[in-house]
PDB file of all heavy atoms in Angstrom:
ATOM      1  N   LEU P   1     125.569 112.039 113.821  1.00  0.00           N
ATOM      2  CA  LEU P   1     124.884 111.170 112.875  1.00  0.00           C
ATOM      3  C   LEU P   1     123.481 110.828 113.371  1.00  0.00           C
ATOM      4  O   LEU P   1     123.193 110.941 114.559  1.00  0.00           O
ATOM      5  CB  LEU P   1     125.690 109.890 112.675  1.00  0.00           C
ATOM      6  CG  LEU P   1     127.087 110.079 112.090  1.00  0.00           C
ATOM      7  CD1 LEU P   1     127.924 108.818 112.290  1.00  0.00           C
ATOM      8  CD2 LEU P   1     127.008 110.436 110.609  1.00  0.00           C
ATOM      9  N   GLY P   2     122.631 110.391 112.454  1.00  0.00           N
ATOM     10  CA  GLY P   2     121.308 109.928 112.829  1.00  0.00           C
ATOM     11  C   GLY P   2     120.204 110.955 112.709  1.00  0.00           C
ATOM     12  O   GLY P   2     119.023 110.597 112.786  1.00  0.00           O
ATOM     13  N   LYS P   3     120.533 112.227 112.514  1.00  0.00           N
ATOM     14  CA  LYS P   3     119.493 113.247 112.417  1.00  0.00           C
ATOM     15  C   LYS P   3     118.688 113.100 111.131  1.00  0.00           C
ATOM     16  O   LYS P   3     117.457 113.286 111.122  1.00  0.00           O
ATOM     17  CB  LYS P   3     120.117 114.643 112.504  1.00  0.00           C
ATOM     18  CG  LYS P   3     120.768 114.958 113.855  1.00  0.00           C
ATOM     19  CD  LYS P   3     119.727 115.000 114.956  1.00  0.00           C
ATOM     20  CE  LYS P   3     120.343 115.476 116.270  1.00  0.00           C
ATOM     21  NZ  LYS P   3     119.337 115.560 117.366  1.00  0.00           N
ATOM     22  N   MET P   4     119.377 112.781 110.034  1.00  0.00           N
ATOM     23  CA  MET P   4     118.647 112.522 108.794  1.00  0.00           C
ATOM     24  C   MET P   4     117.744 111.306 108.954  1.00  0.00           C
ATOM     25  O   MET P   4     116.605 111.277 108.467  1.00  0.00           O
ATOM     26  CB  MET P   4     119.628 112.306 107.641  1.00  0.00           C
ATOM     27  CG  MET P   4     118.965 112.076 106.289  1.00  0.00           C
ATOM     28  SD  MET P   4     118.497 110.359 105.918  1.00  0.00           S
ATOM     29  CE  MET P   4     120.099 109.645 105.570  1.00  0.00           C
ATOM     30  N   THR P   5     118.241 110.302 109.657  1.00  0.00           N
ATOM     31  CA  THR P   5     117.446 109.104 109.915  1.00  0.00           C
ATOM     32  C   THR P   5     116.166 109.450 110.666  1.00  0.00           C
ATOM     33  O   THR P   5     115.094 108.938 110.366  1.00  0.00           O
ATOM     34  CB  THR P   5     118.285 108.096 110.722  1.00  0.00           C
ATOM     35  OG1 THR P   5     119.458 107.763 109.981  1.00  0.00           O
ATOM     36  CG2 THR P   5     117.496 106.839 111.018  1.00  0.00           C
ATOM     37  N   GLU P   6     116.287 110.322 111.652  1.00  0.00           N
ATOM     38  CA  GLU P   6     115.106 110.755 112.406  1.00  0.00           C
ATOM     39  C   GLU P   6     114.080 111.410 111.487  1.00  0.00           C
ATOM     40  O   GLU P   6     112.875 111.152 111.610  1.00  0.00           O
ATOM     41  CB  GLU P   6     115.523 111.736 113.504  1.00  0.00           C
ATOM     42  CG  GLU P   6     116.234 111.094 114.689  1.00  0.00           C
ATOM     43  CD  GLU P   6     116.534 112.103 115.779  1.00  0.00           C
ATOM     44  OE1 GLU P   6     116.466 113.332 115.504  1.00  0.00           O
ATOM     45  OE2 GLU P   6     116.832 111.678 116.906  1.00  0.00           O
ATOM     46  N   ARG P   7     114.533 112.268 110.581  1.00  0.00           N
ATOM     47  CA  ARG P   7     113.619 112.945 109.669  1.00  0.00           C
ATOM     48  C   ARG P   7     112.867 111.935 108.791  1.00  0.00           C
ATOM     49  O   ARG P   7     111.650 112.048 108.588  1.00  0.00           O
ATOM     50  CB  ARG P   7     114.380 113.932 108.781  1.00  0.00           C
ATOM     51  CG  ARG P   7     114.820 115.206 109.476  1.00  0.00           C
ATOM     52  CD  ARG P   7     115.537 116.134 108.504  1.00  0.00           C
ATOM     53  NE  ARG P   7     115.992 117.352 109.163  1.00  0.00           N
ATOM     54  CZ  ARG P   7     115.272 118.457 109.289  1.00  0.00           C
ATOM     55  NH1 ARG P   7     114.047 118.488 108.789  1.00  0.00           N
ATOM     56  NH2 ARG P   7     115.762 119.513 109.902  1.00  0.00           N
ATOM     57  N   LEU P   8     113.592 110.963 108.266  1.00  0.00           N
ATOM     58  CA  LEU P   8     112.967 109.986 107.381  1.00  0.00           C
ATOM     59  C   LEU P   8     111.964 109.126 108.132  1.00  0.00           C
ATOM     60  O   LEU P   8     110.836 108.914 107.677  1.00  0.00           O
ATOM     61  CB  LEU P   8     114.039 109.116 106.725  1.00  0.00           C
ATOM     62  CG  LEU P   8     113.527 108.075 105.723  1.00  0.00           C
ATOM     63  CD1 LEU P   8     112.791 108.744 104.574  1.00  0.00           C
ATOM     64  CD2 LEU P   8     114.680 107.220 105.206  1.00  0.00           C
ATOM     65  N   PHE P   9     112.358 108.620 109.305  1.00  0.00           N
ATOM     66  CA  PHE P   9     111.440 107.820 110.115  1.00  0.00           C
ATOM     67  C   PHE P   9     110.201 108.626 110.485  1.00  0.00           C
ATOM     68  O   PHE P   9     109.071 108.123 110.411  1.00  0.00           O
ATOM     69  CB  PHE P   9     112.147 107.347 111.388  1.00  0.00           C
ATOM     70  CG  PHE P   9     112.727 105.963 111.311  1.00  0.00           C
ATOM     71  CD1 PHE P   9     113.910 105.723 110.636  1.00  0.00           C
ATOM     72  CD2 PHE P   9     112.089 104.885 111.911  1.00  0.00           C
ATOM     73  CE1 PHE P   9     114.464 104.465 110.570  1.00  0.00           C
ATOM     74  CE2 PHE P   9     112.624 103.613 111.852  1.00  0.00           C
ATOM     75  CZ  PHE P   9     113.811 103.394 111.175  1.00  0.00           C
ATOM     76  N   THR P  10     110.388 109.876 110.898  1.00  0.00           N
ATOM     77  CA  THR P  10     109.261 110.697 111.328  1.00  0.00           C
ATOM     78  C   THR P  10     108.294 110.947 110.183  1.00  0.00           C
ATOM     79  O   THR P  10     107.065 110.876 110.352  1.00  0.00           O
ATOM     80  CB  THR P  10     109.760 112.029 111.904  1.00  0.00           C
ATOM     81  OG1 THR P  10     110.612 111.768 113.040  1.00  0.00           O
ATOM     82  CG2 THR P  10     108.604 112.898 112.355  1.00  0.00           C
ATOM     83  N   ALA P  11     108.829 111.235 108.997  1.00  0.00           N
ATOM     84  CA  ALA P  11     107.976 111.481 107.840  1.00  0.00           C
ATOM     85  C   ALA P  11     107.170 110.243 107.466  1.00  0.00           C
ATOM     86  O   ALA P  11     105.977 110.325 107.168  1.00  0.00           O
ATOM     87  CB  ALA P  11     108.828 111.938 106.656  1.00  0.00           C
ATOM     88  N   ALA P  12     107.810 109.081 107.499  1.00  0.00           N
ATOM     89  CA  ALA P  12     107.182 107.860 106.999  1.00  0.00           C
ATOM     90  C   ALA P  12     106.355 107.123 108.049  1.00  0.00           C
ATOM     91  O   ALA P  12     105.449 106.365 107.692  1.00  0.00           O
ATOM     92  CB  ALA P  12     108.248 106.919 106.440  1.00  0.00           C
ATOM     93  N   THR P  13     106.665 107.330 109.352  1.00  0.00           N
ATOM     94  CA  THR P  13     105.978 106.558 110.393  1.00  0.00           C
ATOM     95  C   THR P  13     105.289 107.423 111.433  1.00  0.00           C
ATOM     96  O   THR P  13     104.494 106.901 112.231  1.00  0.00           O
ATOM     97  CB  THR P  13     106.963 105.633 111.124  1.00  0.00           C
ATOM     98  OG1 THR P  13     107.819 106.408 111.996  1.00  0.00           O
ATOM     99  CG2 THR P  13     107.832 104.849 110.153  1.00  0.00           C
ATOM    100  N   GLY P  14     105.604 108.701 111.499  1.00  0.00           N
ATOM    101  CA  GLY P  14     105.020 109.568 112.515  1.00  0.00           C
ATOM    102  C   GLY P  14     105.889 109.755 113.733  1.00  0.00           C
ATOM    103  O   GLY P  14     105.539 110.527 114.632  1.00  0.00           O
ATOM    104  N   SER P  15     107.041 109.083 113.779  1.00  0.00           N
ATOM    105  CA  SER P  15     107.942 109.211 114.927  1.00  0.00           C
ATOM    106  C   SER P  15     109.347 108.799 114.518  1.00  0.00           C
ATOM    107  O   SER P  15     109.534 108.046 113.556  1.00  0.00           O
ATOM    108  CB  SER P  15     107.469 108.333 116.089  1.00  0.00           C
ATOM    109  OG  SER P  15     108.383 108.391 117.172  1.00  0.00           O
ATOM    110  N   GLY P  16     110.326 109.290 115.267  1.00  0.00           N
ATOM    111  CA  GLY P  16     111.696 108.866 115.046  1.00  0.00           C
ATOM    112  C   GLY P  16     111.902 107.419 115.472  1.00  0.00           C
ATOM    113  O   GLY P  16     110.992 106.777 116.016  1.00  0.00           O
ATOM    114  N   PRO P  17     113.081 106.858 115.245  1.00  0.00           N
ATOM    115  CA  PRO P  17     113.345 105.467 115.631  1.00  0.00           C
ATOM    116  C   PRO P  17     113.217 105.268 117.131  1.00  0.00           C
ATOM    117  O   PRO P  17     113.393 106.197 117.924  1.00  0.00           O
ATOM    118  CB  PRO P  17     114.791 105.235 115.169  1.00  0.00           C
ATOM    119  CG  PRO P  17     115.072 106.314 114.176  1.00  0.00           C
ATOM    120  CD  PRO P  17     114.253 107.486 114.599  1.00  0.00           C
ATOM    121  N   ALA P  18     112.915 104.032 117.511  1.00  0.00           N
ATOM    122  CA  ALA P  18     112.864 103.689 118.934  1.00  0.00           C
ATOM    123  C   ALA P  18     114.223 103.254 119.450  1.00  0.00           C
ATOM    124  O   ALA P  18     114.537 103.444 120.626  1.00  0.00           O
ATOM    125  CB  ALA P  18     111.842 102.579 119.171  1.00  0.00           C
ATOM    126  N   GLY P  19     115.040 102.640 118.568  1.00  0.00           N
ATOM    127  CA  GLY P  19     116.318 102.137 119.048  1.00  0.00           C
ATOM    128  C   GLY P  19     117.250 101.774 117.911  1.00  0.00           C
ATOM    129  O   GLY P  19     116.898 101.823 116.735  1.00  0.00           O
ATOM    130  N   TRP P  20     118.477 101.405 118.316  1.00  0.00           N
ATOM    131  CA  TRP P  20     119.501 100.983 117.357  1.00  0.00           C
ATOM    132  C   TRP P  20     120.329  99.884 118.004  1.00  0.00           C
ATOM    133  O   TRP P  20     120.362  99.720 119.226  1.00  0.00           O
ATOM    134  CB  TRP P  20     120.401 102.156 116.958  1.00  0.00           C
ATOM    135  CG  TRP P  20     121.258 102.687 118.086  1.00  0.00           C
ATOM    136  CD1 TRP P  20     120.872 103.533 119.079  1.00  0.00           C
ATOM    137  CD2 TRP P  20     122.632 102.372 118.336  1.00  0.00           C
ATOM    138  NE1 TRP P  20     121.912 103.786 119.946  1.00  0.00           N
ATOM    139  CE2 TRP P  20     123.017 103.084 119.500  1.00  0.00           C
ATOM    140  CE3 TRP P  20     123.579 101.574 117.695  1.00  0.00           C
ATOM    141  CZ2 TRP P  20     124.300 103.011 120.035  1.00  0.00           C
ATOM    142  CZ3 TRP P  20     124.869 101.501 118.225  1.00  0.00           C
ATOM    143  CH2 TRP P  20     125.211 102.226 119.383  1.00  0.00           C
ATOM    144  N   SER P  21     121.004  99.121 117.175  1.00  0.00           N
ATOM    145  CA  SER P  21     121.828  98.040 117.688  1.00  0.00           C
ATOM    146  C   SER P  21     122.715  97.522 116.565  1.00  0.00           C
ATOM    147  O   SER P  21     122.506  97.834 115.393  1.00  0.00           O
ATOM    148  CB  SER P  21     120.942  96.902 118.233  1.00  0.00           C
ATOM    149  OG  SER P  21     121.725  95.917 118.881  1.00  0.00           O
ATOM    150  N   THR P  22     123.709  96.725 116.935  1.00  0.00           N
ATOM    151  CA  THR P  22     124.580  96.108 115.936  1.00  0.00           C
ATOM    152  C   THR P  22     123.974  94.831 115.371  1.00  0.00           C
ATOM    153  O   THR P  22     124.507  94.262 114.428  1.00  0.00           O
ATOM    154  CB  THR P  22     125.954  95.791 116.539  1.00  0.00           C
ATOM    155  OG1 THR P  22     125.784  94.920 117.671  1.00  0.00           O
ATOM    156  CG2 THR P  22     126.648  97.068 117.003  1.00  0.00           C
ATOM    157  N   SER P  23     122.882  94.362 115.963  1.00  0.00           N
ATOM    158  CA  SER P  23     122.221  93.135 115.507  1.00  0.00           C
ATOM    159  C   SER P  23     120.778  93.156 115.993  1.00  0.00           C
ATOM    160  O   SER P  23     120.358  94.053 116.713  1.00  0.00           O
ATOM    161  CB  SER P  23     122.955  91.896 116.054  1.00  0.00           C
ATOM    162  OG  SER P  23     122.949  91.891 117.472  1.00  0.00           O
ATOM    163  N   GLU P  24     120.023  92.148 115.587  1.00  0.00           N
ATOM    164  CA  GLU P  24     118.647  91.982 116.072  1.00  0.00           C
ATOM    165  C   GLU P  24     118.615  90.914 117.161  1.00  0.00           C
ATOM    166  O   GLU P  24     119.349  89.922 117.071  1.00  0.00           O
ATOM    167  CB  GLU P  24     117.730  91.577 114.922  1.00  0.00           C
ATOM    168  CG  GLU P  24     117.531  92.667 113.878  1.00  0.00           C
ATOM    169  CD  GLU P  24     116.568  92.245 112.792  1.00  0.00           C
ATOM    170  OE1 GLU P  24     116.972  91.417 111.935  1.00  0.00           O
ATOM    171  OE2 GLU P  24     115.422  92.731 112.780  1.00  0.00           O
ATOM    172  N   PRO P  25     117.779  91.111 118.171  1.00  0.00           N
ATOM    173  CA  PRO P  25     116.864  92.239 118.378  1.00  0.00           C
ATOM    174  C   PRO P  25     117.593  93.513 118.801  1.00  0.00           C
ATOM    175  O   PRO P  25     118.689  93.463 119.369  1.00  0.00           O
ATOM    176  CB  PRO P  25     115.954  91.728 119.502  1.00  0.00           C
ATOM    177  CG  PRO P  25     116.809  90.781 120.279  1.00  0.00           C
ATOM    178  CD  PRO P  25     117.669  90.093 119.258  1.00  0.00           C
ATOM    179  N   VAL P  26     116.961  94.645 118.531  1.00  0.00           N
ATOM    180  CA  VAL P  26     117.540  95.947 118.870  1.00  0.00           C
ATOM    181  C   VAL P  26     117.533  96.129 120.382  1.00  0.00           C
ATOM    182  O   VAL P  26     116.538  95.845 121.050  1.00  0.00           O
ATOM    183  CB  VAL P  26     116.745  97.067 118.179  1.00  0.00           C
ATOM    184  CG1 VAL P  26     117.160  98.440 118.704  1.00  0.00           C
ATOM    185  CG2 VAL P  26     116.936  96.982 116.671  1.00  0.00           C
ATOM    186  N   THR P  27     118.668  96.582 120.909  1.00  0.00           N
ATOM    187  CA  THR P  27     118.830  96.650 122.369  1.00  0.00           C
ATOM    188  C   THR P  27     119.059  98.053 122.918  1.00  0.00           C
ATOM    189  O   THR P  27     118.847  98.286 124.110  1.00  0.00           O
ATOM    190  CB  THR P  27     120.017  95.772 122.802  1.00  0.00           C
ATOM    191  OG1 THR P  27     121.210  96.217 122.122  1.00  0.00           O
ATOM    192  CG2 THR P  27     119.764  94.302 122.471  1.00  0.00           C
ATOM    193  N   GLN P  28     119.505  99.008 122.092  1.00  0.00           N
ATOM    194  CA  GLN P  28     119.867 100.334 122.589  1.00  0.00           C
ATOM    195  C   GLN P  28     118.775 101.357 122.298  1.00  0.00           C
ATOM    196  O   GLN P  28     118.254 101.409 121.182  1.00  0.00           O
ATOM    197  CB  GLN P  28     121.181 100.802 121.940  1.00  0.00           C
ATOM    198  CG  GLN P  28     122.341  99.858 122.135  1.00  0.00           C
ATOM    199  CD  GLN P  28     122.664  99.649 123.592  1.00  0.00           C
ATOM    200  OE1 GLN P  28     122.790 100.612 124.359  1.00  0.00           O
ATOM    201  NE2 GLN P  28     122.802  98.390 123.985  1.00  0.00           N
ATOM    202  N   PRO P  29     118.390 102.166 123.283  1.00  0.00           N
ATOM    203  CA  PRO P  29     117.411 103.232 123.006  1.00  0.00           C
ATOM    204  C   PRO P  29     117.991 104.231 122.019  1.00  0.00           C
ATOM    205  O   PRO P  29     119.213 104.443 121.957  1.00  0.00           O
ATOM    206  CB  PRO P  29     117.181 103.866 124.377  1.00  0.00           C
ATOM    207  CG  PRO P  29     118.409 103.544 125.165  1.00  0.00           C
ATOM    208  CD  PRO P  29     118.875 102.212 124.687  1.00  0.00           C
ATOM    209  N   TRP P  30     117.131 104.849 121.240  1.00  0.00           N
ATOM    210  CA  TRP P  30     117.592 105.761 120.208  1.00  0.00           C
ATOM    211  C   TRP P  30     118.330 106.946 120.801  1.00  0.00           C
ATOM    212  O   TRP P  30     117.831 107.636 121.687  1.00  0.00           O
ATOM    213  CB  TRP P  30     116.429 106.263 119.367  1.00  0.00           C
ATOM    214  CG  TRP P  30     116.863 107.215 118.300  1.00  0.00           C
ATOM    215  CD1 TRP P  30     116.603 108.550 118.244  1.00  0.00           C
ATOM    216  CD2 TRP P  30     117.645 106.905 117.150  1.00  0.00           C
ATOM    217  NE1 TRP P  30     117.173 109.105 117.120  1.00  0.00           N
ATOM    218  CE2 TRP P  30     117.823 108.109 116.427  1.00  0.00           C
ATOM    219  CE3 TRP P  30     118.215 105.727 116.661  1.00  0.00           C
ATOM    220  CZ2 TRP P  30     118.553 108.174 115.237  1.00  0.00           C
ATOM    221  CZ3 TRP P  30     118.927 105.783 115.469  1.00  0.00           C
ATOM    222  CH2 TRP P  30     119.096 106.988 114.780  1.00  0.00           C
ATOM    223  N   SER P  31     119.532 107.180 120.314  1.00  0.00           N
ATOM    224  CA  SER P  31     120.351 108.298 120.756  1.00  0.00           C
ATOM    225  C   SER P  31     121.354 108.626 119.660  1.00  0.00           C
ATOM    226  O   SER P  31     122.327 107.885 119.473  1.00  0.00           O
ATOM    227  CB  SER P  31     121.097 107.972 122.057  1.00  0.00           C
ATOM    228  OG  SER P  31     122.080 108.958 122.335  1.00  0.00           O
ATOM    229  N   PRO P  32     121.150 109.704 118.901  1.00  0.00           N
ATOM    230  CA  PRO P  32     122.128 110.073 117.878  1.00  0.00           C
ATOM    231  C   PRO P  32     123.534 110.285 118.450  1.00  0.00           C
ATOM    232  O   PRO P  32     124.533 109.957 117.795  1.00  0.00           O
ATOM    233  CB  PRO P  32     121.556 111.385 117.313  1.00  0.00           C
ATOM    234  CG  PRO P  32     120.085 111.267 117.534  1.00  0.00           C
ATOM    235  CD  PRO P  32     119.956 110.572 118.863  1.00  0.00           C
TER     236      PRO P  32
END
């Protein structure tokens, strides 16, 4: 999972996500 997310982030922002988490603030580095 997360590969489609990378494509969308990259298209709209110039880079894939920096991180993910179950809540804010985000604590985990991005790793599909």
Side-chain angles (χ1 to χ4, degrees):
L1 298 164
K3 295 295 187 179
M4 182 274 286
T5 301
E6 286 184 344
R7 285 181 181 271
L8 182 60
F9 264 77
T10 300
T13 73
S15 176
W20 66 280
S21 187
T22 58
S23 61
E24 292 183 286
V26 170
T27 58
Q28 304 300 311
W30 180 249
S31 169

